[in-house]
Amino acid sequence: MSTAARNFAAESEAPQGRRGEWISLELPWRQGFWERLQPMTLLRLNPHWNMEPGSGPAWNVEDVLVEARIVADPEISVREGGWTARFPSAGLVLEAESREGGANTALRWEHERSRGDAGLLPAQAQRTVQYWLPSLREYYRLFESDGLKHRFWRLFMDKVMLTMNPTQRRICSFIFKFTLLELLLIVVVLTAYFNFFAK
């Protein structure tokens, strides 16, 4: 499976962490990445969020994983060696921090009292970041180098994967796997034909 597809699939290798616990990403700090990370990109990196425009800079979100409807109103602040995304209406905070003199990056999340009634419960927050943080880490990893492969997958993520809602991503993943299976079957049939019948 491609690097881009893994962004939305893996719960395994990834940092999940308990509330308030810093998780090492084993990736160098890149200040420019955090300065350029747009709120919409951050929201779309959550693989279980269906988003609809709300009022002002807020988005109405259906979290299909925890079956909750929330309001996502990200307030992002960046400082030297640090980044914070606060979602007051959802009661969630994500933070990134430079570690080891910029040789490493750490992530953590917090659950706070939400503003209004459209917030996540602590257990719901735990479940949603279980997939969101790995997705954010994998997207961040695409900025580890500026090689051709990484630039291609960044473009693919930004122009294709991050424009889809969770249902579209599942359909795309199914079609991708089915196509691979078809190609494998064609190779097997052609190999059998040329080895056994074409003589």
Side-chain angles (χ1 to χ4, degrees):
M1 185 179 285
S2 71
T3 302
R6 283 203 317 268
N7 287 350
F8 300 95
E11 137 191 37
S12 55
E13 57 182 270
Q16 298 167 14
R18 292 185 298 273
R19 176 180 173 183
E21 174 187 39
W22 285 101
I23 309 144
S24 174
L25 299 186
E26 306 300 332
L27 295 168
W29 176 258
R30 300 203 175 275
Q31 184 75 25
F33 170 85
W34 300 104
E35 289 172 351
R36 291 190 299 270
L37 183 58
Q38 296 296 312
M40 180 50 62
T41 302
L42 177 63
L43 295 177
R44 286 180 170 162
L45 281 169
N46 188 315
H48 298 106
W49 280 11
N50 270 326
M51 292 172 298
E52 300 169 0
S55 57
W59 288 80
N60 296 317
V61 173
E62 177 190 9
D63 191 319
V64 297
L65 177 67
V66 299
E67 299 178 350
R69 289 193 167 274
I70 61 172
V71 174
D73 49 353
E75 298 173 357
I76 295 179
S77 61
V78 185
R79 61 195 180 282
E80 188 63 35
W83 171 90
T84 303
R86 181 167 267 106
F87 298 83
S89 296
L92 194 60
V93 179
L94 304 180
E95 289 186 274
E97 187 177 89
S98 173
R99 294 288 174 91
E100 302 167 25
N104 199 0
T105 303
L107 272 180
R108 78 171 183 159
W109 68 277
E110 287 279 355
H111 182 264
E112 299 181 333
R113 182 183 295 275
S114 60
R115 179 196 301 160
D117 299 325
L120 290 167
L121 299 172
Q124 291 174 323
Q126 170 76 45
R127 284 198 72 199
T128 201
V129 298
Q130 178 181 0
Y131 296 88
W132 198 2
L133 294 186
S135 181
L136 177 57
R137 179 197 184 273
E138 286 301 302
Y139 185 67
Y140 184 49
R141 195 170 61 80
L142 293 177
F143 291 81
E144 189 176 0
S145 80
D146 203 32
L148 186 62
K149 180 179 79 169
H150 284 87
R151 274 186 282 156
F152 169 78
W153 285 118
R154 287 200 302 257
L155 184 67
F156 178 76
M157 287 292 300
D158 290 335
K159 301 297 183 186
V160 180
M161 292 299 284
L162 292 180
T163 62
M164 298 181 190
N165 64 38
T167 303
Q168 291 168 331
R169 289 175 192 155
R170 282 193 295 273
I171 293 169
C172 180
S173 176
F174 173 78
I175 291 171
F176 177 75
K177 291 173 184 173
F178 190 73
T179 302
L180 282 181
L181 188 62
E182 285 179 322
L183 290 174
L184 182 63
L185 184 61
I186 289 169
V187 168
V188 168
V189 168
L190 288 176
T191 302
Y193 175 78
F194 286 112
N195 283 333
F196 299 107
F197 302 107
K199 294 179 179 180

